[in-house]
Amino acid sequence: THSFPVVGLSELLVVTGTIPLVSRAGQPITIGGDELDIAFIAPQPVKPSIDVTAAELNDLKMIMGNAGGVDAWKANKLDALRRTVRDTTEAMASGVLYTGKLAWPTRRNGGGLGTFEVDYGPVLNHTPAAKLTTSSKVRDVWRILQDMRTAVRNQGIGGDVAFHAGTDVFQTI
């Protein structure tokens, strides 16, 4: 969670990671950027809705005595909303993952359309020291993935690390 309705770009770009120890009389180490970036991003919500028709309301009247039926109806509606939000979030994240930028359609007040854009900067790339071959073993794949994880960590990126691998990796495994 965030305590403000906007997020400062400088907060997103802060590199987190370990720092060296400092002697007791030494100067502290700055972990922020060299410059203050006062650009802000106002996160926009994903707000799906599902209309309930008169026919559905009549159907609900018939099953009102059946709590399981009403619960199933509600669960189906909520599941459709959850799936929509999840799919939208994953699609947005996928675009950022491969381009470093987000450009997503937005419906504005009054019904007009626009684009919500955020540039997160360049995408981290890693070229493995060795390529996979038909004689590669699972340990070779593991070594490459560990090197990639180290490259990600060295850039100060925390959290869970996931890799998207192509068919050549799965053929090797």
Side-chain angles (χ1 to χ4, degrees), residues 85-97:
V85 171
R86 184 183 62 232
D87 291 349
T88 301
T89 304
E90 287 179 4
M92 291 167 61
S94 294
V96 172
L97 176 67

Side-chain angles (χ1 to χ4, degrees), residues 27-152:
Q27 292 294 317
I29 297 172
T30 303
I31 60 170
D34 293 336
E35 297 178 16
L36 176 63
D37 188 346
I38 57 171
F40 289 99
I41 298 169
Q44 302 296 308
V46 176
K47 292 170 50 174
S49 69
I50 296 177
D51 294 331
V52 177
T53 66
E56 285 179 298
L57 289 175
N58 285 333
D59 293 344
L60 278 176
K61 283 183 189 177
M62 287 189 331
I63 62 170
M64 276 309 211
N66 179 355
V70 173
D71 288 344
W73 178 83
K74 287 190 296 190
N76 286 338
K77 294 290 186 185
L78 288 174
D79 187 53
L81 294 170
R82 271 193 227 99
R83 278 186 312 216
T84 301
V85 171
R86 184 183 62 232
D87 291 349
T88 301
T89 304
E90 287 179 4
M92 291 167 61
S94 294
V96 172
L97 176 67
Y98 293 105
T99 65
K101 298 177 182 179
L102 172 65
W104 202 257
T106 304
R107 188 176 71 187
R108 299 200 169 136
N109 293 337
L113 295 177
T115 303
F116 180 73
E117 297 179 276
V118 180
D119 186 348
Y120 292 98
V123 176
L124 179 63
N125 288 310
H126 174 71
T127 303
K131 300 284 184 186
L132 295 175
T133 65
T134 54
S135 62
S136 296
K137 305 289 183 210
V138 173
R139 71 175 172 267
D140 299 321
V141 175
W142 179 256
R143 194 171 298 124
I144 289 171
L145 292 174
Q146 288 301 310
D147 290 345
M148 289 170 60
R149 183 175 183 263
T150 300
V152 168

